Amino acid sequence: MWTDEQPRTRWVDPAAFRYRRPDLRLGTREPCPDRAGPAVDDRLTVRHTVRTSTADYTLLLNAPAWLGRRGVGDALRDAVAELRAIDLTYGPNRPESLVSRLRRGEISPESYPPLADLVDRCSAMRAATDGWFDAWAVPGGFDPGGLLGGWAVERAAARLRAAGVQDYAVLTGADLVVRGHAGHGGPWRVAVHHPTDRRRPPLMLEMTAGAIGTSGVTGRRGHVVDPHTGEPADQMVAATVVGPNLAVADAYATALYAAGPSGLNWFRSGSDYRALIANHH
């Protein structure tokens, strides 16, 4: 039993997973891919983990055999290089990053096209969330932190696609992006565990394209600020959003965490994004 909640994502009855292990788990103490099942013969499967100064990323590639090991290696290097470059170039905690230079007024967004794209996305999400996601409402000025990680993953995923890898998953914390099919040839089977309540059974999804973004995964209170008051947000325990793009899903999750239940109005009929987990105190 399942219902179509958005294109290419299916909510699945947990009973249907009784004899099928998830390919990916989110929200566990150590978010990671589950043990791999049997792979399709004409595919090359690769798993790689990379650590930057701000996050750990796990990349799962299920590449066509014709690409060859060298082609898969090149695709992986391109994606990893993109993640590292964004960490070095845009990290708001780095004094010489483009974001820090923008905050000091040394450059304008138009100076670098990717920076302009990042700023435009933050502006769009501020409008979409009625100001609850506001990259400018932080001490010191512009800080895209609630969106930056998802933006980095989406750019790395674009590198994979450009290199010919159309079936992959990229995970970081309780966030992920998937496309295509897992190594067994079917949709990616994702178990989404509640990030703070271990007693709850996981939500089960089958995905061939999409993203999941979470705020509150650490269980820490005060890590998201109410942009209207400047005080730590305290209405929500956790917020998880699913949709086509991780940068947008991450921003929605951050805003929902700050806004509380009123933020559910953003996900009414017609939206490409849905709130998977929205638990308040």
Side-chain angles (χ1 to χ4, degrees), residues 45-57:
T45 58
V46 177
R47 173 181 173 178
H48 182 77
T49 299
V50 57
R51 174 173 293 178
T52 69
S53 67
T54 56
D56 293 343
Y57 301 90

Side-chain angles (χ1 to χ4, degrees), residues 69-195:
R69 294 191 178 279
R70 176 173 294 181
V72 174
D74 289 344
L76 183 60
R77 279 190 291 272
D78 281 349
V80 169
E82 185 72 9
L83 292 171
R84 293 193 183 281
I86 290 173
D87 177 57
L88 290 170
T89 309
Y90 296 92
N93 295 326
R94 295 182 177 275
E96 296 307 314
S97 73
L98 295 182
V99 169
S100 294
R101 294 179 61 194
L102 178 65
R103 294 171 71 166
R104 295 194 297 264
E106 298 173 2
I107 59 173
S108 69
E110 293 72 26
S111 303
Y112 301 88
L115 178 61
D117 176 61
L118 180 62
V119 171
D120 287 346
R121 287 173 180 268
C122 289
S123 296
M125 291 311 301
R126 180 169 59 180
T129 62
D130 305 315
W132 284 100
F133 177 88
D134 191 343
W136 289 266
V138 293
F142 178 68
D143 185 343
L147 182 148
L148 183 61
W151 186 71
V153 169
E154 290 289 357
R155 289 180 64 87
R159 291 291 191 106
L160 294 176
R161 295 193 298 274
V165 179
Q166 300 297 324
D167 303 89
Y168 58 79
V170 184
L171 299 86
T172 177
D175 298 349
L176 67 72
V177 165
V178 300
R179 188 182 179 101
H181 296 85
H184 49 67
W188 294 94
R189 300 191 291 258
V190 184
V192 183
H193 295 260
H194 193 283

